[in-house]
Amino acid sequence: MSVFTGVEAKITVLNLIQLAYKHDKGATAAIVKSGDSYFMSVDNKGEVTLTGIAGGRLVFSGGKVIDSIGIKLNKATVSFTNGDGGDINFDASFEIARGSKIRVKGTFDVFKLIQSCSGLLCHAARLLHGRDEVIRRASEEALQ
């Protein structure tokens, strides 16, 4: 059994959020935008539940993400709050084999997270992010 560090815990949180977007982009976006707080829980079978305080619930399998961390996970809970701009703050608690626990806090930029994923939505986000620069360059080229 491998050691589960704080860095791996933070990466697991990000991977679970990416998986939620891949599973159901619309429901995940609605939960994230619905209020200031939302929560994620993972049970010992890898079932993930994402719930918004203002409403909305998404349930999906997080088995691939959980299996990739190489530990026996008993339970995980993550609370999220929307921060400034595109920032999302999180506070996560992982209960692993033999009663060990690890707690991590962090912040991530949701726009950068979406840009790092794959699929049509992610491709569109990357294109929009560089759109102004592309337009500026095309205008400069047209003037020459």
Side-chain angles (χ1 to χ4, degrees):
M1 190 167 302
S2 67
V3 176
F4 188 57
T5 67
V7 171
E8 289 168 327
K10 288 179 180 182
I11 291 170
T12 300
V13 170
L14 294 179
N15 287 339
L16 288 169
I17 286 293
Q18 283 182 321
L19 188 59
Y21 274 100
K22 286 179 183 178
H23 179 77
D24 190 332
K25 294 174 187 92
T28 301
I31 291 169
V32 170
K33 292 178 182 178
S34 69
D36 290 333
S37 299
Y38 40 100
F39 304 91
M40 180 183 290
S41 63
V42 184
D43 67 15
N44 62 348
K45 295 176 185 168
E47 184 172 277
V48 181
T49 303
L50 181 64
T51 310
I53 260 185
R57 183 170 190 247
L58 176 66
V59 179
F60 60 96
S61 173
K64 279 184 160 181
V65 171
I66 302 307
D67 291 345
S68 73
I69 61 178
I71 60 161
K72 170 69 174 129
L73 180 71
N74 293 335
K75 181 172 99 171
T77 56
V78 186
S79 61
F80 298 94
T81 56
N82 292 326
D84 297 330
D87 287 350
I88 294 179
N89 306 310
F90 65 90
D91 185 348
S93 177
F94 293 83
E95 292 181 20
I96 54 181
R98 300 184 192 143
S100 299
K101 292 183 181 183
I102 186 167
R103 184 174 177 198
V104 293
K105 294 181 179 189
T107 300
F108 62 88
D109 182 319
V110 72
F111 189 73
K112 287 181 181 177
L113 179 66
I114 291 171
Q115 284 184 314
S116 72
C117 64
S118 61
L120 185 58
L121 176 66
C122 303
H123 180 68
R126 284 190 290 276
L127 288 175
L128 283 175
H129 182 65
R131 182 176 173 262
D132 292 338
E133 180 61 24
V134 170
I135 291 171
R136 184 188 66 74
R137 273 189 272 141
S139 297
E140 285 177 0
E141 288 174 10
L143 292 171
Q144 294 178 9

